[in-house]
Amino acid sequence: MWRYAVRRLLQAVPVFFGTTLLIYAMVFALPGDPIQALAGDKPVPDSVLRTLRDRYNLDDPLLVQYAKYMWGLLQGDLGENYTGQSVSEMLGGRWAVTARLALTAWLFELAAGIALGVWAGLRRGRLADTLVLGGTTLVIAVPVFVLGYIAQLVFGLHWQIFPTAGTEDGWPMSYLLPGIVLGSLGLSYVARLTRTSLAENLRADYVRTARAKGLSKARVIGRHTLRNSLIPVVTYLGVDFGNLMGGAIVTEGIFNLPGVGQQVFQSIQLKEGPVVVGAVTVLVLIFLLANLVVDLLYGVLDPRIRYG
């Protein structure tokens, strides 16, 4: 397994550099001068523009800029924004908020999604199956910002079950409603994946053999069928944690959570490329790490998988 883990880490290196180069190119290819944007409509002396553009390497070719950025990153430096603030310090206090939100959403889709998928898979073709398929299709069809505002209005303002904004009530209360909204799309996919995989495995030969040996229904489902059925679900859940970390921009905006997503959104508006690139670079690392953990978990879920 160790050789497999090292090999996967080495395979992640070109993926990391290729992804960060693409992100860097997209961010710094945006039209407009970020230095001029700091002053708004006020004129900026040419000497000041030249000095600042030289300080932030804006006149260098793109690949030279990227190489200087990566050299700093390898030394643990995410760079500075265009007002001289450290990107690491700007994002430092916000990672905890985004991590709590993503973890809440992930746990919600893990528990509720698998439970609904098992419930529907064991009752394929019945009312329960129809309700799960119909409900998840509806959730997938509704945009997250619409779902967020509806949830905020109904559960926050009308019924007053959850806080409507901010983090004053701490974890988990301040994060439950935005976490449910953020994890609703993932829950729908987890439920449908679990339902389909479980229904297929229930018709497999090894399940018929286990039943013929006299094993109880609970043992057949819990020990054999569900374990194999969770392999595609674990794949999705592992990848989705990285998606939740990066996809919280809209949710954090609706519920006024001071996380990384909110900072990235503000930085895009202000054309602060170093902040956007720094945040997304860390998210890419989280995404790659999650993929590695998922690959290693395959051997735990299915002993037939061996690492060479």
Side-chain angles (χ1 to χ4, degrees), residues 25 48 72 85 93 102-103 143-144 167 173 175 226 257 268 270 275 278 280:
V48 175
Q85 292 178 284
L103 180 61
V144 65
T167 59
M173 282 307 299
Y175 296 87
L226 185 59
L257 299 177
I268 291 174
L270 296 174
V275 181
V280 177

Side-chain angles (χ1 to χ4, degrees), residues 97-113 171-172 175-188 190 236-237 240-241 243-245 247-248 251:
V97 174
T98 299
R100 292 190 194 105
L101 176 60
L103 180 61
T104 304
W106 191 81
L107 291 174
F108 169 67
E109 65 182 55
L110 167 69
W171 191 87
Y175 296 87
L176 280 176
L177 189 58
I180 290 172
V181 171
L182 180 61
S184 59
L185 181 63
L187 176 146
S188 301
V190 169
Y236 178 82
L237 284 170
D240 197 48
F241 185 76
N243 292 335
L244 292 172
M245 289 285 291
T251 308

Side-chain angles (χ1 to χ4, degrees), residues 12 45 56 79 92 106 108 138 156 189 217 248 264 269 280 285:
Y56 295 106
W106 191 81
F108 169 67
L138 179 63
Y189 289 125
K217 182 178 180 181
V264 169
Q269 291 181 312
V280 177
L285 287 171

Side-chain angles (χ1 to χ4, degrees), residues 191-222:
R192 295 171 78 94
L193 275 173
T194 305
R195 176 254 183 198
T196 302
S197 184
L198 181 61
E200 290 178 354
N201 281 302
L202 285 173
R203 298 194 300 268
D205 291 339
Y206 72 89
V207 173
R208 285 193 291 269
T209 302
R211 287 172 175 168
K213 289 181 177 180
L215 296 180
S216 66
K217 182 178 180 181
R219 184 175 176 82
V220 170
I221 294 173

Side-chain angles (χ1 to χ4, degrees), residues 155-175:
F155 297 103
L157 295 177
H158 185 63
W159 290 347
Q160 298 184 354
I161 299 175
F162 301 104
T164 57
T167 59
E168 289 79 9
D169 294 304
W171 191 87
M173 282 307 299
S174 294
Y175 296 87

Side-chain angles (χ1 to χ4, degrees), residues 44-233:
V44 180
D46 291 338
S47 59
V48 175
L49 282 175
R50 284 194 299 270
T51 301
L52 291 176
R53 291 184 66 84
D54 181 67
R55 175 180 175 181
Y56 295 106
N57 307 310
L58 294 177
D59 290 326
D60 292 335
L62 178 64
L63 290 179
V64 175
Q65 293 184 47
Y66 175 73
K68 291 180 178 179
Y69 173 76
M70 292 306 299
W71 176 249
L73 181 64
L74 292 175
Q75 300 177 66
D77 183 14
L78 290 176
E80 298 179 343
N81 71 348
Y82 297 128
T83 60
Q85 292 178 284
S86 168
V87 173
S88 298
E89 293 179 0
M90 291 178 65
L91 299 176
R94 293 176 175 266
W95 282 112
V97 174
T98 299
R100 292 190 194 105
L101 176 60
L103 180 61
T104 304
W106 191 81
L107 291 174
F108 169 67
E109 65 182 55
L110 167 69
I114 292 178
L116 287 173
V118 171
W119 186 49
L122 295 176
R123 295 162 178 80
R124 187 172 183 178
R126 303 185 201 174
L127 177 61
D129 188 25
T130 304
L131 289 175
V132 171
L133 289 177
T136 53
T137 301
L138 179 63
V139 171
I140 292 171
V142 178
V144 65
F145 66 88
V146 175
L147 191 63
Y149 283 122
I150 291 175
Q152 192 177 50
L153 179 64
V154 175
F155 297 103
L157 295 177
H158 185 63
W159 290 347
Q160 298 184 354
I161 299 175
F162 301 104
T164 57
T167 59
E168 289 79 9
D169 294 304
W171 191 87
M173 282 307 299
S174 294
Y175 296 87
L176 280 176
L177 189 58
I180 290 172
V181 171
L182 180 61
S184 59
L185 181 63
L187 176 146
S188 301
Y189 289 125
V190 169
R192 295 171 78 94
L193 275 173
T194 305
R195 176 254 183 198
T196 302
S197 184
L198 181 61
E200 290 178 354
N201 281 302
L202 285 173
R203 298 194 300 268
D205 291 339
Y206 72 89
V207 173
R208 285 193 291 269
T209 302
R211 287 172 175 168
K213 289 181 177 180
L215 296 180
S216 66
K217 182 178 180 181
R219 184 175 176 82
V220 170
I221 294 173
R223 180 68 182 272
H224 300 284
T225 315
L226 185 59
R227 188 173 181 177
N228 288 332
S229 301
L230 287 179
I231 292 177
V233 179

